[in-house]
mmCIF file of all heavy atoms in Angstrom:
data_model
loop_
_atom_site.group_PDB
_atom_site.id
_atom_site.type_symbol
_atom_site.label_atom_id
_atom_site.label_comp_id
_atom_site.label_asym_id
_atom_site.label_seq_id
_atom_site.Cartn_x
_atom_site.Cartn_y
_atom_site.Cartn_z
ATOM 1 N N ASP G 563 0.652 67.682 101.294
ATOM 2 C CA ASP G 563 1.643 68.673 101.730
ATOM 3 C C ASP G 563 2.503 69.070 100.532
ATOM 4 O O ASP G 563 3.677 68.694 100.407
ATOM 5 C CB ASP G 563 2.500 68.093 102.853
ATOM 6 C CG ASP G 563 3.325 69.160 103.561
ATOM 7 O OD1 ASP G 563 3.409 70.285 103.034
ATOM 8 O OD2 ASP G 563 3.896 68.855 104.629
ATOM 9 N N THR G 564 1.938 69.859 99.628
ATOM 10 C CA THR G 564 2.588 70.202 98.363
ATOM 11 C C THR G 564 3.860 71.011 98.573
ATOM 12 O O THR G 564 4.854 70.821 97.863
ATOM 13 C CB THR G 564 1.614 70.990 97.465
ATOM 14 O OG1 THR G 564 0.406 70.244 97.333
ATOM 15 C CG2 THR G 564 2.212 71.238 96.104
ATOM 16 N N ALA G 565 3.861 71.927 99.538
ATOM 17 C CA ALA G 565 5.030 72.765 99.773
ATOM 18 C C ALA G 565 6.237 71.923 100.192
ATOM 19 O O ALA G 565 7.342 72.069 99.650
ATOM 20 C CB ALA G 565 4.720 73.807 100.840
ATOM 21 N N ARG G 566 6.005 71.024 101.173
ATOM 22 C CA ARG G 566 7.097 70.166 101.632
ATOM 23 C C ARG G 566 7.525 69.211 100.522
ATOM 24 O O ARG G 566 8.722 68.968 100.317
ATOM 25 C CB ARG G 566 6.644 69.383 102.867
ATOM 26 C CG ARG G 566 7.666 68.380 103.399
ATOM 27 C CD ARG G 566 8.913 69.083 103.885
ATOM 28 N NE ARG G 566 9.993 68.138 104.160
ATOM 29 C CZ ARG G 566 11.275 68.405 104.005
ATOM 30 N NH1 ARG G 566 11.671 69.584 103.557
ATOM 31 N NH2 ARG G 566 12.198 67.512 104.289
ATOM 32 N N LEU G 567 6.551 68.679 99.777
ATOM 33 C CA LEU G 567 6.845 67.765 98.679
ATOM 34 C C LEU G 567 7.710 68.466 97.632
ATOM 35 O O LEU G 567 8.673 67.886 97.115
ATOM 36 C CB LEU G 567 5.543 67.258 98.048
ATOM 37 C CG LEU G 567 5.687 66.304 96.852
ATOM 38 C CD1 LEU G 567 6.448 65.042 97.258
ATOM 39 C CD2 LEU G 567 4.300 65.936 96.301
ATOM 40 N N GLY G 568 7.397 69.727 97.327
ATOM 41 C CA GLY G 568 8.181 70.476 96.347
ATOM 42 C C GLY G 568 9.615 70.671 96.794
ATOM 43 O O GLY G 568 10.557 70.570 95.998
ATOM 44 N N THR G 569 9.806 70.939 98.091
ATOM 45 C CA THR G 569 11.162 71.122 98.621
ATOM 46 C C THR G 569 11.963 69.830 98.527
ATOM 47 O O THR G 569 13.137 69.829 98.139
ATOM 48 C CB THR G 569 11.103 71.585 100.089
ATOM 49 O OG1 THR G 569 10.326 72.781 100.167
ATOM 50 C CG2 THR G 569 12.498 71.840 100.645
ATOM 51 N N VAL G 570 11.324 68.723 98.893
ATOM 52 C CA VAL G 570 11.996 67.418 98.840
ATOM 53 C C VAL G 570 12.408 67.089 97.411
ATOM 54 O O VAL G 570 13.551 66.690 97.152
ATOM 55 C CB VAL G 570 11.079 66.317 99.411
ATOM 56 C CG1 VAL G 570 11.638 64.928 99.095
ATOM 57 C CG2 VAL G 570 10.927 66.497 100.915
ATOM 58 N N MET G 571 11.493 67.277 96.471
ATOM 59 C CA MET G 571 11.793 66.924 95.087
ATOM 60 C C MET G 571 12.875 67.845 94.517
ATOM 61 O O MET G 571 13.784 67.387 93.808
ATOM 62 C CB MET G 571 10.534 66.999 94.227
ATOM 63 C CG MET G 571 9.398 66.072 94.666
ATOM 64 S SD MET G 571 9.909 64.345 94.943
ATOM 65 C CE MET G 571 10.472 63.880 93.331
ATOM 66 N N TYR G 572 12.805 69.134 94.828
ATOM 67 C CA TYR G 572 13.813 70.052 94.301
ATOM 68 C C TYR G 572 15.189 69.733 94.891
ATOM 69 O O TYR G 572 16.210 69.753 94.180
ATOM 70 C CB TYR G 572 13.461 71.517 94.611
ATOM 71 C CG TYR G 572 14.421 72.466 93.924
ATOM 72 C CD1 TYR G 572 14.187 72.889 92.629
ATOM 73 C CD2 TYR G 572 15.593 72.891 94.563
ATOM 74 C CE1 TYR G 572 15.092 73.723 91.975
ATOM 75 C CE2 TYR G 572 16.499 73.719 93.923
ATOM 76 C CZ TYR G 572 16.242 74.130 92.623
ATOM 77 O OH TYR G 572 17.143 74.941 91.963
ATOM 78 N N THR G 573 15.232 69.431 96.167
ATOM 79 C CA THR G 573 16.503 69.102 96.817
ATOM 80 C C THR G 573 17.156 67.900 96.145
ATOM 81 O O THR G 573 18.372 67.893 95.877
ATOM 82 C CB THR G 573 16.277 68.817 98.313
ATOM 83 O OG1 THR G 573 15.701 69.977 98.926
ATOM 84 C CG2 THR G 573 17.580 68.476 99.018
ATOM 85 N N MET G 574 16.375 66.887 95.851
ATOM 86 C CA MET G 574 16.919 65.704 95.194
ATOM 87 C C MET G 574 17.375 66.023 93.777
ATOM 88 O O MET G 574 18.466 65.610 93.350
ATOM 89 C CB MET G 574 15.872 64.586 95.181
ATOM 90 C CG MET G 574 15.627 63.981 96.555
ATOM 91 S SD MET G 574 14.603 62.498 96.535
ATOM 92 C CE MET G 574 13.006 63.172 96.092
ATOM 93 N N LEU G 575 16.569 66.752 93.013
ATOM 94 C CA LEU G 575 16.920 67.077 91.628
ATOM 95 C C LEU G 575 18.195 67.912 91.553
ATOM 96 O O LEU G 575 19.050 67.682 90.683
ATOM 97 C CB LEU G 575 15.764 67.826 90.960
ATOM 98 C CG LEU G 575 14.493 67.008 90.679
ATOM 99 C CD1 LEU G 575 13.351 67.928 90.290
ATOM 100 C CD2 LEU G 575 14.750 65.966 89.593
ATOM 101 N N GLU G 576 18.336 68.881 92.443
ATOM 102 C CA GLU G 576 19.532 69.732 92.435
ATOM 103 C C GLU G 576 20.780 68.922 92.794
ATOM 104 O O GLU G 576 21.851 69.099 92.192
ATOM 105 C CB GLU G 576 19.344 70.895 93.407
ATOM 106 C CG GLU G 576 20.559 71.791 93.584
ATOM 107 C CD GLU G 576 20.927 72.618 92.356
ATOM 108 O OE1 GLU G 576 20.384 72.361 91.254
ATOM 109 O OE2 GLU G 576 21.773 73.512 92.477
ATOM 110 N N CYS G 577 20.667 68.004 93.738
ATOM 111 C CA CYS G 577 21.797 67.135 94.077
ATOM 112 C C CYS G 577 22.119 66.175 92.934
ATOM 113 O O CYS G 577 23.298 65.889 92.663
ATOM 114 C CB CYS G 577 21.504 66.346 95.354
ATOM 115 S SG CYS G 577 21.511 67.343 96.866
ATOM 116 N N MET G 578 21.100 65.686 92.259
ATOM 117 C CA MET G 578 21.315 64.808 91.108
ATOM 118 C C MET G 578 22.033 65.546 89.987
ATOM 119 O O MET G 578 22.853 64.967 89.264
ATOM 120 C CB MET G 578 19.970 64.249 90.632
ATOM 121 C CG MET G 578 19.388 63.196 91.570
ATOM 122 S SD MET G 578 17.589 62.977 91.409
ATOM 123 C CE MET G 578 17.411 62.584 89.683
ATOM 124 N N ARG G 579 21.736 66.820 89.833
ATOM 125 C CA ARG G 579 22.432 67.635 88.829
ATOM 126 C C ARG G 579 23.922 67.684 89.141
ATOM 127 O O ARG G 579 24.770 67.549 88.243
ATOM 128 C CB ARG G 579 21.844 69.048 88.812
ATOM 129 C CG ARG G 579 22.428 69.969 87.742
ATOM 130 C CD ARG G 579 21.963 71.403 87.933
ATOM 131 N NE ARG G 579 22.437 71.952 89.200
ATOM 132 C CZ ARG G 579 23.658 72.428 89.403
ATOM 133 N NH1 ARG G 579 24.534 72.426 88.417
ATOM 134 N NH2 ARG G 579 24.002 72.907 90.584
ATOM 135 N N LYS G 580 24.265 67.866 90.407
ATOM 136 C CA LYS G 580 25.667 67.904 90.812
ATOM 137 C C LYS G 580 26.356 66.561 90.539
ATOM 138 O O LYS G 580 27.497 66.514 90.061
ATOM 139 C CB LYS G 580 25.780 68.252 92.296
ATOM 140 C CG LYS G 580 25.374 69.688 92.640
ATOM 141 C CD LYS G 580 25.456 69.920 94.142
ATOM 142 C CE LYS G 580 25.075 71.346 94.505
ATOM 143 N NZ LYS G 580 26.092 72.323 94.088
ATOM 144 N N VAL G 581 25.666 65.472 90.831
ATOM 145 C CA VAL G 581 26.227 64.142 90.567
ATOM 146 C C VAL G 581 26.504 63.973 89.084
ATOM 147 O O VAL G 581 27.590 63.533 88.675
ATOM 148 C CB VAL G 581 25.272 63.043 91.064
ATOM 149 C CG1 VAL G 581 25.741 61.671 90.564
ATOM 150 C CG2 VAL G 581 25.178 63.044 92.584
ATOM 151 N N ALA G 582 25.531 64.307 88.248
ATOM 152 C CA ALA G 582 25.668 64.132 86.801
ATOM 153 C C ALA G 582 26.835 64.951 86.256
ATOM 154 O O ALA G 582 27.616 64.468 85.422
ATOM 155 C CB ALA G 582 24.372 64.519 86.102
ATOM 156 N N LEU G 583 26.996 66.185 86.717
ATOM 157 C CA LEU G 583 28.095 67.024 86.243
ATOM 158 C C LEU G 583 29.452 66.422 86.604
ATOM 159 O O LEU G 583 30.361 66.366 85.777
ATOM 160 C CB LEU G 583 27.987 68.423 86.842
ATOM 161 C CG LEU G 583 26.930 69.364 86.262
ATOM 162 C CD1 LEU G 583 26.978 70.706 86.986
ATOM 163 C CD2 LEU G 583 27.132 69.567 84.769
ATOM 164 N N HIS G 584 29.588 65.974 87.835
ATOM 165 C CA HIS G 584 30.875 65.430 88.276
ATOM 166 C C HIS G 584 31.189 64.091 87.612
ATOM 167 O O HIS G 584 32.362 63.701 87.541
ATOM 168 C CB HIS G 584 30.896 65.284 89.798
ATOM 169 C CG HIS G 584 31.115 66.582 90.514
ATOM 170 N ND1 HIS G 584 30.103 67.508 90.688
ATOM 171 C CD2 HIS G 584 32.232 67.134 91.078
ATOM 172 C CE1 HIS G 584 30.580 68.555 91.339
ATOM 173 N NE2 HIS G 584 31.861 68.357 91.591
ATOM 174 N N LEU G 585 30.183 63.420 87.113
ATOM 175 C CA LEU G 585 30.416 62.134 86.453
ATOM 176 C C LEU G 585 30.936 62.280 85.027
ATOM 177 O O LEU G 585 31.435 61.321 84.450
ATOM 178 C CB LEU G 585 29.115 61.314 86.423
ATOM 179 C CG LEU G 585 28.863 60.365 87.585
ATOM 180 C CD1 LEU G 585 27.531 59.664 87.386
ATOM 181 C CD2 LEU G 585 29.984 59.325 87.694
ATOM 182 N N TRP G 586 30.820 63.475 84.440
ATOM 183 C CA TRP G 586 31.158 63.623 83.020
ATOM 184 C C TRP G 586 32.586 63.200 82.681
ATOM 185 O O TRP G 586 32.797 62.528 81.661
ATOM 186 C CB TRP G 586 30.911 65.064 82.557
ATOM 187 C CG TRP G 586 31.114 65.229 81.076
ATOM 188 C CD1 TRP G 586 30.313 64.753 80.080
ATOM 189 C CD2 TRP G 586 32.212 65.889 80.437
ATOM 190 N NE1 TRP G 586 30.829 65.100 78.853
ATOM 191 C CE2 TRP G 586 31.997 65.797 79.042
ATOM 192 C CE3 TRP G 586 33.337 66.567 80.911
ATOM 193 C CZ2 TRP G 586 32.880 66.347 78.115
ATOM 194 C CZ3 TRP G 586 34.222 67.119 79.988
ATOM 195 C CH2 TRP G 586 33.990 66.999 78.612
ATOM 196 N N PRO G 587 33.602 63.536 83.474
ATOM 197 C CA PRO G 587 34.945 63.074 83.116
ATOM 198 C C PRO G 587 35.056 61.556 83.040
ATOM 199 O O PRO G 587 35.808 61.021 82.233
ATOM 200 C CB PRO G 587 35.824 63.630 84.252
ATOM 201 C CG PRO G 587 35.064 64.791 84.781
ATOM 202 C CD PRO G 587 33.621 64.391 84.673
ATOM 203 N N VAL G 588 34.303 60.859 83.887
ATOM 204 C CA VAL G 588 34.375 59.394 83.947
ATOM 205 C C VAL G 588 33.454 58.746 82.913
ATOM 206 O O VAL G 588 33.850 57.822 82.199
ATOM 207 C CB VAL G 588 33.987 58.897 85.363
ATOM 208 C CG1 VAL G 588 34.097 57.372 85.453
ATOM 209 C CG2 VAL G 588 34.838 59.568 86.418
ATOM 210 N N MET G 589 32.223 59.231 82.827
ATOM 211 C CA MET G 589 31.192 58.627 81.972
ATOM 212 C C MET G 589 30.545 59.722 81.116
ATOM 213 O O MET G 589 29.420 60.131 81.377
ATOM 214 C CB MET G 589 30.143 57.936 82.841
ATOM 215 C CG MET G 589 30.704 56.976 83.864
ATOM 216 S SD MET G 589 29.431 56.315 84.975
ATOM 217 C CE MET G 589 28.530 55.263 83.847
ATOM 218 N N PRO G 590 31.258 60.206 80.096
ATOM 219 C CA PRO G 590 30.765 61.381 79.366
ATOM 220 C C PRO G 590 29.402 61.195 78.702
ATOM 221 O O PRO G 590 28.544 62.071 78.798
ATOM 222 C CB PRO G 590 31.868 61.644 78.329
ATOM 223 C CG PRO G 590 32.688 60.397 78.281
ATOM 224 C CD PRO G 590 32.576 59.764 79.611
ATOM 225 N N GLU G 591 29.182 60.057 78.033
ATOM 226 C CA GLU G 591 27.909 59.855 77.331
ATOM 227 C C GLU G 591 26.751 59.784 78.322
ATOM 228 O O GLU G 591 25.708 60.440 78.129
ATOM 229 C CB GLU G 591 27.969 58.571 76.499
ATOM 230 C CG GLU G 591 28.973 58.603 75.361
ATOM 231 C CD GLU G 591 29.051 57.272 74.643
ATOM 232 O OE1 GLU G 591 28.101 56.462 74.774
ATOM 233 O OE2 GLU G 591 30.061 57.029 73.959
ATOM 234 N N SER G 592 26.916 59.010 79.374
ATOM 235 C CA SER G 592 25.842 58.851 80.364
ATOM 236 C C SER G 592 25.584 60.147 81.111
ATOM 237 O O SER G 592 24.433 60.502 81.385
ATOM 238 C CB SER G 592 26.202 57.743 81.363
ATOM 239 O OG SER G 592 26.321 56.502 80.711
ATOM 240 N N ALA G 593 26.657 60.858 81.453
ATOM 241 C CA ALA G 593 26.492 62.112 82.190
ATOM 242 C C ALA G 593 25.699 63.124 81.372
ATOM 243 O O ALA G 593 24.814 63.816 81.897
ATOM 244 C CB ALA G 593 27.857 62.682 82.558
ATOM 245 N N GLU G 594 26.005 63.208 80.088
ATOM 246 C CA GLU G 594 25.271 64.143 79.232
ATOM 247 C C GLU G 594 23.794 63.756 79.151
ATOM 248 O O GLU G 594 22.910 64.624 79.143
ATOM 249 C CB GLU G 594 25.909 64.185 77.850
ATOM 250 C CG GLU G 594 27.277 64.864 77.846
ATOM 251 C CD GLU G 594 27.961 64.812 76.483
ATOM 252 O OE1 GLU G 594 27.245 64.628 75.466
ATOM 253 O OE2 GLU G 594 29.197 64.954 76.430
ATOM 254 N N LYS G 595 23.520 62.461 79.108
ATOM 255 C CA LYS G 595 22.123 62.007 79.070
ATOM 256 C C LYS G 595 21.417 62.310 80.393
ATOM 257 O O LYS G 595 20.253 62.714 80.409
ATOM 258 C CB LYS G 595 22.064 60.511 78.767
ATOM 259 C CG LYS G 595 22.440 60.169 77.328
ATOM 260 C CD LYS G 595 22.435 58.663 77.092
ATOM 261 C CE LYS G 595 22.837 58.337 75.656
ATOM 262 N NZ LYS G 595 22.919 56.874 75.426
ATOM 263 N N LEU G 596 22.120 62.112 81.510
ATOM 264 C CA LEU G 596 21.523 62.394 82.818
ATOM 265 C C LEU G 596 21.220 63.883 82.967
ATOM 266 O O LEU G 596 20.161 64.259 83.476
ATOM 267 C CB LEU G 596 22.452 61.925 83.938
ATOM 268 C CG LEU G 596 22.644 60.406 84.073
ATOM 269 C CD1 LEU G 596 23.720 60.093 85.106
ATOM 270 C CD2 LEU G 596 21.341 59.705 84.426
ATOM 271 N N VAL G 597 22.155 64.720 82.528
ATOM 272 C CA VAL G 597 21.913 66.165 82.573
ATOM 273 C C VAL G 597 20.722 66.517 81.682
ATOM 274 O O VAL G 597 19.866 67.330 82.053
ATOM 275 C CB VAL G 597 23.172 66.942 82.135
ATOM 276 C CG1 VAL G 597 22.854 68.427 81.941
ATOM 277 C CG2 VAL G 597 24.284 66.782 83.169
#
Side-chain angles (χ1 to χ4, degrees):
D563 193 348
T564 306
R566 176 64 191 148
L567 179 60
T569 304
V570 168
M571 300 310 298
Y572 187 87
T573 301
M574 289 189 290
L575 290 168
E576 175 68 348
C577 289
M578 287 158 57
R579 184 189 63 80
K580 291 177 179 289
V581 170
L583 284 180
H584 282 78
L585 269 179
W586 186 71
V588 182
M589 309 174 70
E591 295 176 19
S592 297
E594 290 176 21
K595 289 177 181 176
L596 292 173
V597 170

